[in-house]
């Protein structure tokens, strides 16, 4: 889902800048623990570790498996190889849809999956349950990241939490006054910023509209922005169609959004913290906030391929990537909150976890992490059917025209 190309260029930026940050746990309306309502293929989890197989094929968001080739100072792959003897081959991907298709080939052992991909991988049988007892560092992961709808099904874990962040409201401080505290600046048809709005280019952006309607049209009864029945879904789609003429650009590459903010082509938009950091570092007067309605966000999970031939190496990678040392490096390099609280003691920037609200449950409760919409409503309703991701994809094409 996130296009994280050119992350190597941002290592210095992320270390040198701070801003309103993003992290979190589950959404705020007490969603049921884990995914539910569908039966994934019956696949066993690994019972015990064996001898490392000597190789590991990693499918990852750019910036998640760095071996020093982008920046010699940024390398947590080489120590893993030296410790385990598992030689790592990394394949980066730019979107969750691309990642899902690549996993179907069976060529990769592990994947860093966002919530809009993870349930699809589980339902297709492309990933298998994870025996967390074989991942010692899992014990240290923030409890509020475990057993969530995007990384488990009916109490069965399908992966190890990695890092997380929020989709923030960013704005030009010289053009948007007073500072906004609501998504209304992007959705209200009378917004003074119409024509200067940038929005995220993905079907999952429908959830942002649903989240807005949760607060502004409570009669719709939306309790989870990823669980929308016919009426709720249509209202969300209609809101985005209403917004469409107000949007100057849809972005999937955060560098393009940054450019729009710097040039003045956009004054407000949905952004990741990395976008805000970069844009500020290049001299543009931007800031970001978590609006009163809350926000969508991401929580990434490392998952094991059901077809993996290197499962001991895979489990050793899962343990390594959430170790305090590696998790600190990834979180600081990419610009997100680590999954392991012990990582906070090891970041070069001692304020990193404060900036990114690590462990801040109140802040976290305002974030709804990307979760794959499925027909079985994720909010627990059984008397209606919800729109699945295929319906979201078709609607997004219609919204954009």
């Amino acid at each position: 889902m996130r296009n994280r190309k050119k992350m190597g260029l941002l290592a210095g930026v992320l270390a040198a800048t701070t801003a309103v940050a993003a992290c979190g746990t589950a959404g705020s309306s007490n969603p049921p623990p884990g995914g539910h309502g569908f039966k994934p293929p019956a696949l066993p989890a690994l019972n015990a570790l064996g001898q490392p197989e000597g190789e590991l094929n990693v499918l990852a968001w750019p910036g998640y498996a760095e071996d020093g080739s982008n920046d010699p100072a940024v390398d947590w792959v080489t120590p893993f190889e030296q410790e385990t003897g598992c030689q790592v081959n990394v394949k980066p991907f730019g979107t969750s849809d691309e990642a899902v298709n690549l996993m179907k080939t069976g060529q990769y052992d592990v994947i860093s999956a966002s919530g809009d991909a993870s349930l699809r991988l589980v339902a297709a049988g492309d990933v298998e349950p994870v025996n967390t007892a074989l991942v010692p560092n899992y014990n240290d992961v923030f409890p509020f990241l475990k057993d969530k709808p995007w990384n488990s099904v009916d109490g069965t874990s399908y992966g190890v939490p990695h890092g997380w962040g929020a989709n923030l409201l960013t704005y030009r401080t010289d053009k948007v006054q007073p500072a906004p505290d609501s998504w209304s600046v992007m959705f209200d048809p009378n917004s003074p910023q119409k024509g200067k709005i940038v929005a995220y280019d993905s079907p999952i952006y429908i959830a942002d509209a649903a989240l807005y309607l949760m607060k502004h049209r409570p009669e719709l009864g939306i309790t989870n922005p990823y669980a929308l029945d016919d009426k709720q879904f249509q209202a969300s789609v209609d809101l985005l169609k209403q917004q469409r003429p107000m949007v100057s650009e849809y972005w999937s590459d955060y560098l393009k959004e940054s450019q729009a903010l710097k040039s003045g082509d956009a004054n407000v938009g949905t952004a990741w913290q990395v976008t805000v950091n970069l844009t500020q570092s290049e001299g543009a007067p931007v800031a970001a906030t978590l609006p009163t309605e809350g926000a969508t966000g991401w929580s990434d999970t490392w998952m094991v391929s059901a077809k993996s031939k290197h499962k001991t190496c895979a489990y050793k990678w899962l343990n390594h990537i959430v170790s305090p040392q590696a998790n600190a490096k990834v979180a600081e390099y990419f610009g997100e909150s680590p999954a392991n609280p012990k990582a906070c003691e090891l970041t070069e920037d001692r304020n990193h976890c404060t900036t990114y609200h690590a462990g801040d449950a109140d802040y976290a409760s305002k974030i709804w992490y990307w979760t794959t919409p499925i027909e079985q409503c994720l909010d627990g309703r059984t008397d209606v059917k919800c729109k699945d991701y295929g319906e979201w994809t078709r609607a997004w094409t219609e919204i954009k025209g």
Side-chain angles (χ1 to χ4, degrees):
M1 178 56 60
R2 281 163 290 148
N3 186 332
R4 296 165 171 167
K5 296 177 181 177
K6 304 180 182 177
M7 282 303 304
L9 299 176
L10 299 175
V13 172
L14 292 176
T17 58
T18 58
V20 176
C23 83
T25 74
S28 58
S29 295
N30 299 316
H36 69 290
F38 75 100
K39 293 296 181 183
L43 298 171
L46 191 68
N47 288 324
L49 298 180
Q51 187 68 23
E53 300 88 355
E55 184 178 3
L56 183 70
N57 296 310
V58 175
L59 190 59
W61 288 110
Y64 270 13
E66 291 295 309
D67 61 2
S69 57
N70 285 324
D71 183 338
V74 181
D75 183 359
W76 49 89
V77 169
T78 300
F80 170 77
E81 293 176 326
Q82 294 171 341
E83 178 183 346
T84 65
C86 303
Q87 296 302 303
V88 176
N89 306 305
V90 180
K91 169 68 175 178
F93 59 84
T95 70
S96 284
D97 288 348
E98 179 186 356
V100 168
N101 289 332
L102 287 169
M103 278 298 284
K104 292 184 182 301
T105 68
Q107 298 177 17
Y108 304 96
D109 300 298
V110 294
I111 178 176
S112 62
S114 293
D116 57 327
S118 53
L119 283 191
R120 286 189 277 167
L121 295 170
V122 171
D126 292 324
V127 295
E128 65 186 32
V130 167
N131 183 351
T132 57
L134 301 179
V135 185
N137 287 317
Y138 182 81
N139 292 329
D140 294 328
V141 169
F142 284 116
F144 50 65
L145 291 177
K146 300 176 180 178
D147 302 318
K148 297 304 175 186
W150 57 87
N151 60 29
S152 66
V153 177
D154 291 332
T156 298
S157 174
Y158 277 82
V160 174
H162 172 90
W164 67 98
N167 299 315
L168 301 169
L169 173 61
T170 189
Y171 58 95
R172 294 258 320 199
T173 57
D174 59 337
K175 302 291 186 181
V176 185
Q177 297 174 349
D181 63 358
S182 167
W183 290 111
S184 295
V185 71
M186 291 185 62
F187 288 116
D188 189 323
N190 296 315
S191 170
Q193 300 305 324
K194 55 186 176 183
K196 293 286 187 176
I197 294 171
V198 284
Y200 191 45
D201 189 0
S202 169
I204 208 69
Y205 184 59
I206 294 172
D208 291 61
L211 182 144
Y212 180 78
L213 292 174
M214 284 172 65
K215 301 294 184 180
H216 295 269
R217 289 190 58 190
E219 71 276 9
L220 289 170
I222 301 174
T223 61
N224 182 323
Y226 305 102
L228 305 176
D229 61 30
D230 288 345
K231 183 178 180 180
Q232 296 164 342
F233 186 74
Q234 190 59 52
S236 302
V237 170
D238 288 345
L239 178 60
L240 290 173
K241 287 182 177 179
Q242 174 183 285
Q243 184 197 48
R244 178 68 183 92
M246 302 163 59
V247 174
S248 61
E249 182 179 353
Y250 289 98
W251 67 273
S252 57
D253 184 339
Y254 66 90
L255 296 175
K256 291 184 178 179
E257 181 188 28
S258 177
Q259 181 58 42
L261 290 165
K262 287 185 295 185
S263 68
D265 290 340
N267 292 338
V268 295
T270 306
W272 303 322
Q273 186 63 47
V274 64
T275 314
V276 179
N277 290 354
L278 174 64
T279 311
Q280 288 177 332
S281 74
E282 296 184 347
V286 300
T289 187
L290 184 72
T292 55
E293 298 93 351
T296 59
W298 75 86
S299 178
D300 290 340
T301 303
W302 282 99
M303 312 180 88
V304 176
S305 169
K307 299 177 182 177
S308 171
K309 298 179 180 178
H310 312 109
K311 290 186 179 177
T312 293
C313 282
Y315 270 76
K316 287 186 175 294
W317 173 262
L318 265 58
N319 192 56
H320 171 75
I321 204 65
V322 291
S323 67
Q325 297 81 3
N327 206 214
K329 291 180 179 179
V330 179
E332 197 160 23
Y333 179 66
F334 181 69
E336 63 186 3
S337 178
N340 189 335
K342 292 182 178 179
C344 295
E345 303 170 8
L346 301 177
T347 55
E348 291 185 16
D349 176 5
R350 289 306 194 188
N351 293 318
H352 179 86
C353 284
T354 299
T355 300
Y356 287 86
H357 298 268
D360 186 341
D362 179 63
Y363 182 94
S365 69
K366 301 170 185 176
I367 299 170
W368 288 89
Y369 290 130
W370 283 335
T371 305
T372 308
I374 58 175
E375 187 177 276
Q376 294 79 15
C377 296
L378 295 171
D379 58 7
R381 288 178 293 170
T382 58
D383 58 336
V384 296
K385 291 183 179 180
C386 284
K387 297 293 189 179
D388 64 18
Y389 189 74
E391 294 283 353
W392 285 47
T393 300
R394 285 187 284 273
W396 184 245
T397 300
E398 182 181 332
I399 289 164
K400 290 185 65 182

